[in-house]
Amino acid sequence: MIHISAVMYKQRFKPVNLKSTPNKNAEHIRYIGTRPGVMKNGGERHGVFGNIYNRSTLKIDHKIKDVMELVRQKSNEKKNIFRAVISFSPENAANKLGDPITKEAWQELVKQNIEIIAKENNISLSNMRWVAAAHDTPNHPHVHIVFWDESQEIQKNFVHPKIPGGIRTKLIKSIFEDELREYYENKKQTEIRMKDVTSEMTHEFEAYLSGLTSDEYSMLIKEGYEINENLDEHMCEYLAQKLFEIRKEIPKGSLKFEYLRPDVKDRLIYLVRELVDMNDDLQEAIQELVQSKIDIAKMYNSDEIYLDSLYDKYEKEAEKTIANKLLQLIKKFNDKDWEIKSEEFNHQIRMQQTERLITEIFASLARLTKQSRKDYISRKRVIGGELSKQARKEKAKELESTGWDIEK
């Protein structure tokens, strides 16, 4: 895949053991330093600059043939002479190097980022030697860099493609640091907004479910129950019904999207898309989040086909995030079931207690009735029995002391 990014970086080298390599490396110095379009040094016929003697200045006072001879010598010493190119689009070049682009701007950019190239190639900065030349081509602003490791002793026959790829990524992060910081901050804010919108939706659903009576809840989850009214106005009711249906298909302990069966995933994503269609705020939050990620991705690859694939990817990631939020709502059904079971249990306990109390009351009344009858019989015997006159008087006095009113 060709990467059309904010910064382009290419790197290669000629095989060290070929007899033609030293001369070709030297001729490459002539090419980058003197070709038409090179930004030449003042008073010189070439435009090379860099660090070939580990000095503080990037100015090279030597004639071009002297620089070529130095590179030929290092190549004959079997050191790998790497050829690299850093380039921009005209718009990005104007943004980072000024308009018009100056040689000094190119020098400063290479100076600020040469350590990245050294480090990714496993070269100590103190041993890094390099020569560069900037070319002022309107449609392709770029700078050539030739570099080697002054301390190299072991020949390299292969450099992994990941190395120039890693350099390109780090150059983008370094050169476009301010832009990336702004993009990442925007991404963070859009993530917060999407979280707020989904939280508002889930809180509304939780309040709705919590407020249902046991009869309403039973009706809602009843097989074949349909909502025939406007779904936009009955979103919570519709969501509850659909989630309850999905809940029946989910094994216990599997409330994560990646653990679901493919068919259940499809049903859940379909529900997510229905909710997004019904909620303008959620739809806008997803679009903003996806676009913030695309803005970052464009820094590394602006190919339209590639970006379209990323758009689909990021949109699916957002849908998956919402799907996991919905799965957490399924736990609320467990809470509701427990609440209803608790109400039914408490109702049953109250009924049992009431029945026990009524039984005790009737038992007490029965005991009181039995005792009253005994007392009545006892009184009757006192008044009309076979006791002597004196005994009846004494018994009457005894009953008077207990509250009986005995007619003498």
Side-chain angles (χ1 to χ4, degrees):
M1 179 184 292
I2 298 175
H3 294 286
I4 308 170
S5 56
V7 177
M8 294 293 293
Y9 179 81
K10 295 180 180 180
Q11 177 181 304
R12 58 191 178 90
F13 65 91
K14 293 290 184 182
V16 176
N17 292 322
L18 293 180
K19 288 181 63 175
S20 61
T21 294
N23 284 335
K24 286 185 176 180
N25 285 335
E27 283 301 317
H28 185 64
I29 296 298
R30 185 197 301 277
Y31 168 78
I32 68 172
T34 62
R35 66 164 290 183
V38 67
M39 304 177 79
K40 294 181 179 179
N41 301 329
E44 297 284 350
R45 298 178 61 185
H46 67 80
V48 296
F49 61 91
N51 180 5
I52 57 177
Y53 295 115
N54 197 24
R55 297 172 180 170
S56 58
T57 178
L58 298 184
K59 184 178 180 181
I60 295 179
D61 295 324
H62 303 70
K63 294 184 180 299
I64 191 71
K65 64 178 183 177
D66 295 328
V67 181
M68 291 171 59
E69 185 56 36
L70 175 64
V71 170
R72 181 184 288 109
Q73 174 192 334
K74 297 302 175 181
S75 190
N76 280 321
E77 293 174 6
K78 305 302 182 182
K79 289 179 170 54
N80 290 87
I81 307 300
F82 295 94
R83 306 177 184 185
V85 179
I86 298 175
S87 62
F88 298 94
S89 68
E91 295 78 15
N92 284 334
N95 181 29
K96 289 299 169 183
L97 299 168
D99 189 14
I101 299 171
T102 64
K103 181 180 178 181
E104 288 73 24
W106 273 118
Q107 287 180 330
E108 184 62 23
L109 183 138
V110 176
K111 179 183 176 181
Q112 293 296 327
N113 293 282
I114 196 68
E115 186 174 1
I116 292 173
I117 299 173
K119 185 175 181 180
E120 293 299 305
N121 282 282
N122 201 27
I123 301 174
S124 169
L125 190 60
S126 61
N127 292 320
M128 180 78 161
R129 301 292 182 268
W130 57 279
V131 180
H135 292 176
D136 186 20
T137 49
N139 296 324
H140 183 224
H142 62 281
V143 61
H144 292 268
I145 306 172
V146 175
F147 65 93
W148 64 91
D149 182 355
E150 186 67 18
S151 66
Q152 180 184 346
E153 296 179 355
I154 300 174
Q155 299 174 24
K156 295 180 181 179
N157 297 315
F158 173 76
V159 173
H160 200 285
K162 287 184 178 179
I163 290 178
I167 292 173
R168 180 180 67 89
T169 298
K170 288 181 170 60
L171 286 174
I172 292 170
K173 290 180 179 178
S174 172
I175 297 170
F176 290 88
E177 180 181 5
D178 292 340
E179 289 84 353
L180 283 171
R181 185 185 298 112
E182 182 178 344
Y183 288 149
Y184 277 110
E185 178 61 27
N186 185 46
K187 174 176 171 286
K188 179 181 177 181
Q189 294 303 320
T190 57
E191 287 173 337
I192 291 173
R193 187 188 173 199
M194 181 172 155
K195 181 179 179 181
D196 289 343
V197 173
T198 53
S199 294
E200 181 180 346
M201 180 182 69
T202 55
H203 290 160
E204 182 181 351
F205 175 81
E206 290 171 7
Y208 164 79
L209 192 63
S210 177
L212 289 177
T213 66
S214 58
D215 290 341
E216 290 171 335
Y217 181 70
S218 299
M219 178 61 70
L220 182 67
I221 63 177
K222 185 179 180 181
E223 190 80 27
Y225 177 78
E226 293 185 5
I227 302 170
N228 298 318
E229 300 178 62
N230 189 335
L231 291 184
D232 288 349
E233 298 177 3
H234 295 82
M235 186 184 71
C236 288
E237 186 178 0
Y238 181 73
L239 178 58
Q241 186 187 48
K242 293 300 180 183
L243 285 179
F244 188 82
E245 292 174 359
I246 292 173
R247 177 199 188 196
K248 293 185 291 186
E249 304 296 328
I250 301 176
K252 291 184 178 180
S254 299
L255 289 178
K256 286 190 176 179
F257 186 81
E258 56 266 33
Y259 298 153
L260 302 179
R261 298 196 316 263
D263 62 313
V264 180
K265 286 182 179 180
D266 290 342
R267 289 178 63 182
L268 194 55
I269 289 300
Y270 185 82
L271 177 58
V272 168
R273 290 171 180 171
E274 283 188 301
L275 294 177
V276 171
D277 288 341
M278 289 189 284
N279 190 321
D280 291 340
D281 289 339
L282 186 57
Q283 190 174 113
E284 186 176 332
I286 291 175
Q287 290 174 350
E288 288 180 355
L289 176 59
V290 170
Q291 187 58 51
S292 70
K293 291 183 177 181
I294 291 294
D295 289 339
I296 295 171
K298 277 183 179 178
M299 300 296 290
Y300 301 96
N301 190 336
S302 61
D303 179 74
E304 290 299 328
I305 296 176
Y306 173 70
L307 292 177
D308 284 345
S309 69
L310 282 186
Y311 195 96
D312 290 340
K313 176 187 174 183
Y314 295 151
E315 196 171 53
K316 288 177 180 177
E317 287 176 353
E319 290 174 347
K320 180 181 174 181
T321 298
I322 299 171
N324 275 313
K325 281 278 190 180
L326 295 183
L327 286 173
Q328 294 306 307
L329 287 179
I330 287 179
K331 292 181 179 179
K332 301 302 175 181
F333 286 99
N334 299 335
D335 296 340
K336 191 66 180 179
D337 289 342
W338 177 253
E339 176 188 328
I340 291 174
K341 287 178 181 178
S342 297
E343 287 180 0
E344 291 174 351
F345 177 77
N346 291 334
H347 177 70
Q348 186 177 4
I349 292 296
R350 287 194 297 270
M351 289 295 293
Q352 290 174 352
Q353 290 174 341
T354 302
E355 289 175 2
R356 190 182 304 115
L357 180 60
I358 292 172
T359 301
E360 290 175 355
I361 290 172
F362 278 110
S364 297
L365 289 174
R367 286 195 297 272
L368 287 172
T369 302
K370 187 176 181 180
Q371 183 63 42
S372 297
R373 182 169 180 79
K374 286 180 179 179
D375 292 341
Y376 172 76
I377 294 171
S378 176
R379 185 183 62 178
K380 186 175 181 181
R381 285 177 178 174
V382 168
I383 298 173
E386 298 177 351
L387 294 176
S388 65
K389 185 177 181 181
Q390 182 62 33
R392 287 200 301 272
K393 287 181 178 180
E394 290 177 358
K395 189 64 178 177
K397 287 181 179 180
E398 182 183 338
L399 291 173
E400 282 180 0
S401 65
T402 62
W404 288 98
D405 185 14
I406 305 296
E407 185 179 347
K408 299 180 183 179

